[in-house]
Amino acid sequence: MSELLIKNAVVCDPIQGIDCEKMDLCIRDGKIVESVSSNAKVIDAEGRLTMAGGFDGHTHSAGKINVGRSMNPNDARRNLVPGLSGLEPHTEKTRAQVGYNTPNTYAIGYRYAKLGYTTICEAAMPPLTARHTHEEFKEIPILDKMGLTLFGSNWQVMEYIRDKEPEKLAAYIAWGLKASRGYGIKIVNAGGGEAWGWGKNVSGLYDPVPNFDVTPAEILLGLGEANEKLCLPHSVHVHCNNLGHPGNYKTTIETMKLFEKVQSRRNRQSLHVTHVQFNAYAGTSWRDFETGAPMIADYVNGVNHLTFDLGQLIFGPAVTMTADGPVEYANSRMLKEKWSNQDVELEDASGVVPLVYSPKSFVNAVQWAIGIELALLVKDPWKVMFTTDSPNGGSFVNYPEAYTYLMSEKKRQEIILGFPETALNRMVLPGLDRELSFYELAIMTRSIQSRIYSRPEKGNLAVGADADIAIYDIFPDAIDPSVEHEKVKKAFSATAYTIKGGTIVVKDGNIENTPMGRTYWVNATVPSDIECAMQKDLDVKFQKYYTVSKSNYMVEDAYVPKPVEIATEGF
Amino acid sequence: MPVIKDVVCSLCGCLCDDITVTVEDNKIMGVKNACILGHSKTVGVQTHDRIKTPMIRKDGELVEVTYEEAIDAAARILANSRRTLSYGWCSTSCEAISKAIQLAEETGSVIDSTANVCHGPSALATQEKGNPGATLGEIKNRSDLIIFWGCNPIHAHPRHMTRYSSFSRGFFTPNGRKDRKMVVIDVRKTDTAKRADKYIEIEQGSDLLLVTALRSAINGHEAAIPKNVAGVSKAEILGLAELMKNSRFVSILFGMGITQSRSKYKNGDAVSSLISDLTQHTKAIMMGMRGHYNVSGFGEVATWETGYPMAIDFSKGYPYYNPGETGANDVLVREEVDAAIVGAADPGAHFPQKAVRHLARIPLIQIDPYPNPTTELADVVIPAAVVGIEVEGTAYRMDAIPIRMKKLIATEFKTDEEILKDLIVKVRELKRGEVTCQSY
Ligand code: SF4
């Protein structure tokens, strides 16, 4: 039995409605409990800001990030955020660390932990390569993980939707999650991955996918309904069509509207729209490009069926990586940058392109503003998840820097001063004076994740929750984040303590322990007759079109050493 | 008789996973579906000579010892070395590779894979221009133009053409070979070339010229192309460019003929640019025809664990990478390393003389199931189980698809992973305690 008592913590826990109140936290065997014995080890937080461990709900940290690494050995040496990037030799407790946008696996674990994060969700894994994602998960220390499985351009999915077989579709999704040990349904540019198999794209929600006679709208709705039929813990997680194109805010709102029809079976959203910054563009070309954030925020403020995340931009080098193959090709041609592509048979496509966001570029300046605008214009923080879509908008190690954009108008104005004139009338940010509180920041970085992923043991500090805790070197009473942004940034960059499942993993910004985290995956049950009928169709796919046999396709137990199986019952 | 289905062949980068193996009394009795290479490897576990026990060289002779003694001796070499080379690791599992990397990190060694002498330049090309690729099933299902460039799959990857490319039937290519055109570009008319619709013979070492001319044609700069490039006529170049533009899905599959010939990584870099240009007109992808069954796996594991795919130097405690300086042959030819550990590879047979001469002079540890010319140079020899036959584990196919290899029969031999784990423990012990110097 291991016990820990954290005294004098100033707790900010929006799930319980606790807003910076001084209290003690008791921990036994990795969980928050009512009380502990007098033998408990004691940490005196001395009034420091204490939150549940951070939970990054959309990050690219395993799988195709390796393509990013393989294209950019230069990234390994980059040290743009000292203490959280660049090269560090191995020590008695830690493996060697490299990188900034695409750190090695060990650095990902240590650095997230230093920021007070304890859980991450890898946002895209094609089932055929899921084993690779899990191999990297095994080498990311400390953090709990989950992965979202790609289904948006999958042949079996598109055929079932075309043939109007929703039950078999649900059975296939259940099997696909099991095969990939995935946590939920990810859709990237619905149908676009298949079109990219021929070097093409789909342009909007009603453009038919070549050879499959379905539209992106049908794919989105079909998967949305299958998701609810299976009662999955997370909603569909959607990367909208037309990402990165001026004028795409209309497609984004259309997509959001589609889901007004989908009834959630759990107490959560029926749609999560991801990295909306890249999908909130107005104008008709890069010439008259401007923010579409106000239109999107307007719509989101009026409905209750969806959540979204930001995809906030960070100036400097980034590596874009997405299952949106055509977007990456377009990026590489436009920016004259190197380009990797990986189309996955029967399943999806993806691409990787490095780039640099500059505050001198009016397009990048407006993109930067759009992320913040979305966070500030949407009134209810419980709809907004904070992300940079790491490393697409920028590396996660910049989260503390990005928090200051949300918490300090002064900081924003300082940055905007450096923008070209042309950028200023394309954005609405200079007129926004909202500044987020620690409470609102806690919602966006851990509490909303607990709700939208249906993980009640995460993102809060109630009795029964996992003892994943971040203690920041900030005294909430004695700091004004709207002006003291450097202090805020420093404190959020290296916790006083990060505790993972009751174990101290970071102390004063240094790694103390490196336990292996858990992997969450969903095992959805469907009626056996439907399962059998679906398997017959699947057998044909494997016999004729896949290059791996069905029995070698399923991710084996060996790849998930600390599994947490979430069982759900469908239909 | 117990029959094991969907066995993964652990010989070449095709990693065929449809092999059927019959096992009786812990013996492999039959192997179905594998090509002659795969078949010979699988039954070879019983028929080929194995290294029977661990050995240490004493007075010039290798003498039999226990695993413990061999591991102890190997650990002493590593602990006493100021700069070790760790080399190979492409015919073993990713799990073992991961441990080899950890050992290199612990001992401040240089670690490099067999890509040093094959597709290393492809990795450099990826760093230069990226790698627009696809999985093998994309070629099978879609590709109507397949170009083999500087490779001879009939001999090196015998089932490639039937399982994944020229002859395979897929969703959009139901008639197999009839639905595809096959082009071979090479310096000699190989057996693969004999089966092609079009064979283009180029002058040795002039691949970059031909790729550049093709790019000119595809980008509409015909006038810039001279009458003859790389020994190929302008008409033929224009014809090939047209064929590419008019195909639905072009696959360029390239081998060591292009990665190890003049211009090295610049060839891959140019092919990548060619794919990008072609994509303006149609769909195109490229893929390296990787040789050893898990040479891709080394690149993947090393990249996620250290940031770099090969030639990694841990002497500073963190990974440093500069192929040309930190490659296996670089450090050997410069006589810079004072000890070496080689796993699942045979530098004794494949490295240039000068490098082999240095290997012979320094303490050398070999971990391998089979004796080979490197054994002749080794001071400590540790036999290992055969991965994919006697032990399970992960390997990455040439298209970066990971597959779990099966265990077919039991063995007394330790696995590479176990040997490396033991070495890590032992080296740590020695480094913390007294390290006695012994001469090997
Ligand atoms: S082609 Fe390669 S992987 Fe397939 S059976 Fe032959 S040697 Fe084995």
Side-chain angles (χ1 to χ4, degrees):
Chain A
M1 188 171 75
S2 76
E3 291 188 321
L4 189 61
L5 171 64
I6 303 173
K7 283 168 62 173
N8 304 313
V10 171
V11 171
C12 179
D13 182 5
I15 294 241
Q16 297 191 85
I18 299 171
D19 186 1
C20 294
E21 289 173 33
K22 200 170 205 174
M23 55 203 287
D24 295 346
L25 292 167
C26 298
I27 297 157
R28 185 182 311 119
D29 295 335
K31 294 275 183 189
I32 311 265
V33 292
E34 293 278 4
S35 62
V36 284
S37 72
S38 54
N39 295 330
K41 183 180 154 75
V42 178
I43 290 175
D44 193 343
E46 296 170 329
R48 288 183 175 80
L49 178 67
T50 303
M51 295 182 183
F55 182 159
D56 194 341
H58 184 108
T59 176
H60 298 281
S61 294
K64 71 174 164 277
I65 187 175
N66 224 30
V67 177
R69 294 183 188 111
S70 68
M71 290 167 78
N72 299 289
N74 50 314
D75 183 80
R77 300 177 191 172
R78 273 190 177 132
N79 192 13
L80 275 79
V81 184
L84 290 168
S85 61
L87 303 162
E88 280 184 65
H90 72 103
T91 68
E92 285 279 308
K93 287 182 181 149
T94 56
R95 297 289 300 269
Q97 301 174 56
V98 305
Y100 168 62
N101 278 301
T102 52
N104 62 332
T105 47
Y106 309 110
I108 288 176
Y110 307 144
R111 291 170 184 174
Y112 262 117
K114 284 187 190 177
L115 300 182
Y117 277 71
T118 49
T119 308
I120 57 168
C121 178
E122 160 59 45
M125 58 182 189
L128 183 58
T129 60
R131 201 175 274 108
H132 174 179
T133 305
H134 289 283
E135 280 222 283
E136 288 198 42
F137 276 176
K138 278 203 296 178
E139 300 300 318
I140 297 176
I142 302 171
L143 308 177
D144 285 341
K145 300 132 208 148
M146 53 180 72
L148 300 176
T149 309
L150 282 161
F151 287 109
S153 286
N154 182 300
W155 290 8
Q156 195 67 72
V157 166
M158 292 191 295
E159 287 173 6
Y160 282 148
I161 291 171
R162 178 194 61 202
D163 301 342
K164 307 217 166 10
E165 301 204 77
E167 296 192 323
K168 279 188 180 173
L169 172 65
Y172 174 70
I173 298 298
W175 180 83
L177 291 177
K178 214 173 295 171
S180 61
R181 303 298 181 105
Y183 193 81
I185 299 176
K186 173 77 182 292
I187 305 168
V188 173
N189 184 16
E194 172 52 31
W196 183 240
W198 300 113
K200 300 188 170 65
N201 199 359
V202 287
S203 63
L205 291 186
Y206 302 98
D207 197 3
V209 180
N211 304 304
F212 282 86
D213 198 20
V214 287
T215 62
E218 288 167 333
I219 296 173
L220 286 160
L221 271 183
L223 286 171
E225 270 150 16
N227 196 89
E228 300 311 323
K229 209 185 264 295
L230 291 169
C231 215
L232 299 183
H234 186 43
S235 62
V236 284
H237 194 108
V238 176
H239 160 133
C240 288
N241 297 82
N242 279 333
L243 180 133
H245 297 299
N248 63 10
Y249 82 91
K250 289 188 191 138
T251 312
T252 309
I253 293 176
E254 258 182 312
T255 308
M256 291 170 164
K257 278 191 175 151
L258 265 188
F259 280 79
E260 287 176 8
K261 291 185 227 159
V262 177
Q263 193 59 41
S264 165
R265 288 267 302 277
R266 285 187 180 229
N267 187 20
R268 51 132 176 88
Q269 76 294 347
S270 61
L271 168 70
H272 178 85
V273 190
T274 191
H275 41 66
V276 172
Q277 177 274 122
F278 292 109
N279 277 82
Y281 299 162
T284 56
S285 72
W286 291 114
R287 232 172 278 205
D288 64 356
F289 165 74
E290 59 182 352
T291 178
M295 289 77 101
I296 291 195
D298 242 19
Y299 175 78
V300 173
N301 280 330
V303 295
N304 272 319
H305 66 285
L306 68 93
T307 55
F308 72 98
D309 62 81
L310 299 181
Q312 175 59 38
L313 218 77
I314 303 294
F315 292 121
V319 181
T320 61
M321 48 187 68
T322 167
D324 198 333
V327 153
E328 291 295 27
Y329 178 64
N331 278 345
S332 85
R333 292 303 287 197
M334 187 168 69
L335 304 167
K336 302 196 169 37
E337 257 300 354
K338 51 189 164 187
W339 165 58
S340 282
N341 181 75
Q342 176 80 331
D343 297 348
V344 179
E345 60 205 61
L346 285 78
E347 292 181 357
D348 228 301
S350 70
V352 180
V353 174
L355 47 74
V356 177
Y357 298 118
S358 164
K360 301 280 171 228
S361 142
F362 102 83
V363 169
N364 294 163
V366 176
Q367 288 178 307
W368 178 86
I370 290 173
I372 306 168
E373 289 170 0
L374 286 165
L376 301 179
L377 288 169
V378 170
K379 295 191 186 106
D380 180 0
W382 289 97
K383 291 175 182 168
V384 188
M385 181 160 90
F386 174 81
T387 66
T388 60
D389 185 15
S390 180
N392 280 285
S395 169
F396 70 88
V397 298
N398 295 287
Y399 282 6
E401 160 85 9
Y403 299 161
T404 66
Y405 306 157
L406 302 177
M407 299 184 90
S408 164
E409 193 200 354
K410 185 163 169 264
K411 170 87 178 190
R412 299 196 290 264
Q413 297 299 353
E414 278 172 24
I415 293 174
I416 289 171
L417 272 180
F419 288 168
E421 251 329 285
T422 40
L424 298 182
N425 47 14
R426 316 296 182 98
M427 56 174 79
V428 298
L429 188 63
L432 301 180
D433 58 6
R434 185 174 166 197
E435 292 175 331
L436 299 191
S437 62
F438 288 125
Y439 190 78
E440 288 170 311
L441 187 71
I443 295 173
M444 293 184 185
T445 52
R446 51 266 284 159
S447 314
I448 177 184
Q449 289 79 351
S450 171
R451 283 202 184 158
I452 72 175
Y453 286 94
S454 309
R455 294 268 43 88
E457 73 277 33
K458 295 284 172 201
N460 72 93
L461 297 170
V463 167
D466 285 352
D468 295 352
I469 303 167
I471 305 176
Y472 298 105
D473 199 9
I474 285 181
F475 301 89
D477 283 348
I479 190 166
D480 179 357
S482 69
V483 287
E484 294 176 277
H485 30 80
E486 278 312 311
K487 268 194 193 165
V488 169
K489 186 174 155 182
K490 189 166 168 240
F492 278 104
S493 296
T495 59
Y497 287 93
T498 304
I499 293 160
K500 170 67 182 35
T503 301
I504 296 170
V505 290
V506 178
K507 184 165 182 260
D508 299 328
N510 298 314
I511 300 294
E512 291 289 309
N513 281 296
T514 59
M516 180 184 272
R518 288 171 283 211
T519 302
Y520 294 82
W521 70 279
V522 171
N523 190 357
T525 320
V526 298
S528 58
D529 53 328
I530 298 168
E531 163 83 19
C532 280
M534 182 279 294
Q535 289 291 351
K536 283 200 184 118
D537 299 337
L538 204 50
D539 285 339
V540 176
K541 287 278 173 311
F542 276 94
Q543 276 152 19
K544 295 176 87 165
Y545 308 125
Y546 268 111
T547 57
V548 172
S549 63
K550 199 170 156 199
S551 72
N552 286 324
Y553 185 87
M554 313 283 292
V555 172
E556 295 83 357
D557 289 344
Y559 297 92
V560 196
K562 280 185 80 181
V564 181
E565 180 181 327
I566 312 295
T568 77
E569 231 168 283
F571 294 80
Chain B
M1 249 190 272
V3 174
I4 310 174
K5 287 205 161 146
D6 298 337
V7 168
V8 184
C9 172
S10 58
L11 188 102
C12 85
C14 283
L15 226 56
C16 300
D17 78 329
D18 60 344
I19 316 296
T20 302
V21 175
T22 327
V23 174
E24 202 179 308
D25 290 337
N26 207 39
K27 280 221 155 59
I28 292 170
M29 307 303 282
V31 179
K32 273 198 220 143
N33 293 348
C35 70
I36 182 162
L37 301 180
H39 188 277
S40 148
K41 164 150 187 187
T42 312
V43 297
V45 167
Q46 292 145 193
T47 56
H48 298 166
D49 265 356
R50 295 284 291 264
I51 300 171
K52 292 189 183 62
T53 71
M55 294 180 287
I56 296 180
R57 195 171 296 275
K58 285 185 182 149
D59 302 324
E61 293 294 315
L62 284 171
V63 296
E64 296 186 355
V65 294
T66 62
Y67 264 111
E68 260 186 333
E69 288 169 298
I71 281 165
D72 188 68
R76 276 172 205 283
I77 292 175
L78 296 173
N80 284 320
S81 160
R82 291 165 57 87
R83 192 156 171 73
T84 312
L85 167 67
S86 169
Y87 173 77
W89 316 113
C90 292
S91 294
T92 187
S93 67
C94 291
E95 290 77 3
I97 292 165
S98 176
K99 289 292 147 208
I101 292 170
Q102 192 178 357
L103 179 65
E105 184 177 301
E106 293 264 346
T107 50
S109 307
V110 169
I111 182 165
D112 201 4
S113 80
T114 55
N116 188 254
V117 287
C118 62
H119 270 278
S122 309
L124 300 185
T126 298
Q127 292 164 3
E128 200 71 12
K129 277 285 159 54
N131 176 19
T135 67
L136 287 163
E138 285 290 278
I139 302 174
K140 169 186 160 93
N141 287 313
R142 297 183 203 268
S143 195
D144 59 344
L145 174 60
I146 293 172
I147 303 175
F148 289 110
W149 198 323
C151 58
N152 187 10
I154 285 202
H155 293 298
H157 301 92
R159 294 182 72 211
H160 193 283
M161 298 207 307
T162 45
R163 248 176 92 81
Y164 309 120
S165 53
S166 315
F167 297 98
S168 69
R169 292 163 194 265
F171 193 82
F172 298 105
T173 52
N175 305 308
R177 183 69 177 82
K178 288 200 197 86
D179 287 339
R180 314 183 198 269
K181 285 256 175 327
M182 176 179 164
V183 174
V184 170
I185 304 174
D186 215 320
V187 293
R188 73 185 77 83
K189 195 158 187 180
T190 59
D191 286 338
T192 305
K194 287 177 195 149
R195 285 173 172 74
D197 296 301
K198 195 188 218 359
Y199 163 57
I200 297 176
E201 189 163 302
I202 58 166
E203 283 163 8
Q204 179 96 34
S206 57
D207 306 83
L208 183 58
L209 296 177
L210 185 58
V211 186
T212 310
L214 280 169
R215 287 190 65 199
S216 302
I218 281 157
N219 292 328
H221 304 301
E222 274 182 43
I225 306 172
K227 272 201 202 104
N228 186 301
V229 179
V232 185
S233 74
K234 179 170 181 175
E236 199 162 9
I237 292 166
L238 294 178
L240 181 57
E242 271 313 292
L243 178 62
M244 286 174 158
K245 273 166 50 180
N246 294 328
S247 298
R248 284 182 310 179
F249 191 112
V250 183
S251 306
I252 301 183
L253 307 169
F254 60 98
M256 277 167 63
I258 163 164
T259 67
Q260 290 293 338
S261 71
R262 193 194 292 168
S263 306
K264 291 229 170 168
Y265 78 93
K266 283 289 172 196
N267 295 328
D269 163 338
V271 172
S272 182
S273 304
L274 172 65
I275 300 293
S276 178
D277 294 342
L278 255 180
T279 308
Q280 299 277 71
H281 304 276
T282 182
K283 179 72 178 184
I285 62 108
M286 64 193 276
M287 191 183 298
M289 299 283 278
R290 306 303 297 267
H292 291 293
Y293 74 84
N294 201 22
V295 65
S296 296
F298 185 97
E300 294 286 340
V301 177
T303 302
W304 76 60
E305 296 199 352
T306 75
Y308 307 119
M310 58 193 177
I312 305 142
D313 182 353
F314 279 108
S315 61
K316 296 179 173 145
Y318 54 75
Y320 169 80
Y321 163 80
N322 188 17
E325 179 195 350
T326 56
N329 272 296
D330 307 319
V331 291
L332 285 173
V333 168
R334 285 202 308 271
E335 303 186 358
E336 194 175 294
V337 285
D338 60 3
I341 175 166
V342 172
D346 186 12
H350 299 118
F351 275 11
Q353 252 189 13
K354 197 161 180 228
V356 177
R357 223 177 292 135
H358 189 63
L359 265 183
R361 274 198 294 265
I362 57 176
L364 174 64
I365 304 156
Q366 182 190 31
I367 304 174
D368 209 298
Y370 301 102
N372 57 30
T374 303
T375 318
E376 304 299 317
L377 312 174
D379 301 286
V380 179
V381 177
I382 310 179
V386 180
V387 180
I389 296 175
E390 296 171 331
V391 50
E392 58 188 347
T394 318
Y396 280 70
R397 209 164 66 177
M398 60 168 70
D399 57 351
I401 297 295
I403 306 185
R404 185 155 191 86
M405 297 174 291
K406 294 184 169 61
K407 173 178 173 157
L408 310 174
I409 52 173
T411 182
E412 302 271 290
F413 288 110
K414 279 196 179 231
T415 67
D416 291 320
E417 193 185 352
E418 285 165 344
I419 296 166
L420 289 159
K421 275 186 184 165
D422 289 350
L423 278 172
I424 292 170
V425 171
K426 198 80 209 169
V427 167
R428 275 187 194 155
E429 253 174 52
L430 288 170
K431 284 199 154 179
R432 289 201 187 113
E434 278 275 282
V435 182
T436 52
C437 291
Q438 288 190 5
S439 54
Y440 284 108

